[in-house]
Amino acid sequence: MQLVPVDDPADPRLTDYLRLTDVVLRRLSEPEGGLYIAESTKVIQRALEAGHRPRSVLLQEKWIPDLEPLLADVEVDVYVAPPALLEQITGFVLHRGALASMHRPELPTVAELLREARRVVVLEDIVDHTNVGAIFRAVAGLGADAVLVTPRCADPLYRRSVRVSMAAVLQVPWTRLPDWPQGAEELHEAGFEIAALALDESAVPLDDYAAGAPERVALLLGTEGDGLSRAALRNADRVVTIPMQRGIDSLNVAAASAVALWALRTR
């Protein structure tokens, strides 16, 4: 690692970090150049452990001792700036020690992810980065094998998603489906039954479905407002619902994913 003091927010070497407000990054689901931002020492550590390669690091001087053990053998420029300059550059107060501009890893193919999997989660057009991160954390904690995201789904490597997931998005295998709902065909060809989690008159209660669930299940989750598309429901083999009480019809999609994954966990 090479320590580089910086004092100019317009320094072109800091372009990756410039004004990283939620509003700006939300428009960039796939940042140009194949990069994502890892926020905090812990997330940077998880990214390095996953084999991801940093392009640069930006931090306050006081956080250098925390990063040195992680970056001792890594050829990377570490830009050091005072707190006021960091806030000017990024657009927010940096509480978590450091930011790293990371090269995005090459995503596996859908076939590669499905080959050995038994439980996978498919996210159809979920646009809230917090929900995406929370679902990845549920997947990691409850033992599902992989996540597939549709072309219009939010970016799992957006910094809020990574943070909410407690860096699980760096541990759970995932990839983007190149087409949807045509991608459902590849799931069927791999032997997966697609179980759509939705409110529908034909839906079976989750407990009943879990009691006789097949060996390979793809749990299909829809966007926050409208739920699953009609095309997705047509491609599903079963529609499953979580029975509710007190007049509540459904849970937040991230909470629902955790309940369903617990019920469908492989034993």
Side-chain angles (χ1 to χ4, degrees):
M1 58 180 282
Q2 177 70 34
L3 296 176
V4 182
V6 291
D7 56 12
D8 181 3
D11 190 322
R13 295 172 298 181
L14 305 179
T15 301
D16 292 352
Y17 306 99
L18 218 53
R19 304 302 298 174
L20 296 181
T21 62
D22 288 344
V23 173
V24 172
L25 276 186
R26 192 177 293 275
R27 298 173 185 159
L28 301 172
S29 65
E30 303 288 348
E32 186 178 356
L35 301 172
Y36 73 93
I37 299 298
E39 180 184 359
S40 84
T41 301
K42 181 178 181 179
V43 171
I44 294 171
Q45 179 180 356
R46 293 279 179 85
L48 293 170
E49 290 172 349
H52 299 188
R53 183 168 57 92
R55 183 157 86 161
S56 67
V57 177
L58 177 64
L59 46 63
Q60 294 181 45
E61 184 176 6
K62 70 177 182 178
W63 298 109
I64 292 174
D66 288 353
L67 268 294
E68 276 183 326
L70 304 179
L71 300 172
D73 299 322
V74 180
E75 293 186 11
V76 63
D77 287 332
V78 177
Y79 300 116
V80 183
L85 184 61
L86 285 173
E87 183 175 355
Q88 189 176 355
I89 293 168
T90 64
F92 61 91
V93 178
L94 184 59
H95 294 296
R96 297 172 178 84
L99 296 172
S101 175
M102 306 292 298
H103 292 277
R104 285 175 174 264
E106 184 177 351
L107 292 176
T109 66
V110 175
E112 288 170 341
L113 281 192
L114 297 182
R115 189 172 296 125
E116 302 297 330
R118 294 294 176 269
R119 294 288 183 270
V120 300
V121 174
V122 181
L123 307 185
E124 185 191 48
D125 301 349
I126 295 179
V127 297
D128 187 280
H129 294 92
T130 298
N131 283 333
V132 170
I135 292 170
F136 267 84
R137 188 174 183 184
V139 168
L142 297 171
D145 301 302
V147 177
L148 304 176
V149 300
T150 62
R152 294 193 298 174
C153 187
D155 180 16
L157 290 180
Y158 176 71
R159 62 188 178 88
R160 180 181 289 178
S161 297
V162 177
R163 184 169 71 245
V164 171
S165 77
M166 300 297 288
V169 299
L170 306 177
Q171 299 172 297
V172 173
W174 70 276
T175 197
R176 281 196 184 274
L177 288 158
D179 299 294
W180 185 257
Q182 293 85 348
E185 295 177 8
E186 194 162 0
L187 288 163
H188 285 139
E189 290 171 0
F192 280 84
E193 180 170 285
I194 299 177
L197 199 62
L199 298 175
D200 190 90
E201 292 181 358
S202 66
V204 298
L206 176 61
D207 285 347
D208 294 347
Y209 179 72
E215 181 182 7
R216 292 185 140 187
V217 176
L219 181 65
L220 181 56
L221 303 172
T223 189
E224 295 83 351
D226 299 327
L228 290 167
S229 67
R230 292 183 180 180
L233 290 172
R234 284 195 300 268
N235 281 281
D237 301 292
R238 302 292 295 273
V239 179
V240 181
T241 190
I242 300 172
M244 306 294 292
Q245 300 182 31
R246 297 181 179 174
I248 304 298
D249 63 354
S250 63
L251 298 172
N252 163 273
V253 65
S257 74
V259 172
L261 287 169
W262 169 255
L264 295 171
R265 69 194 185 281
T266 54
R267 294 168 172 81

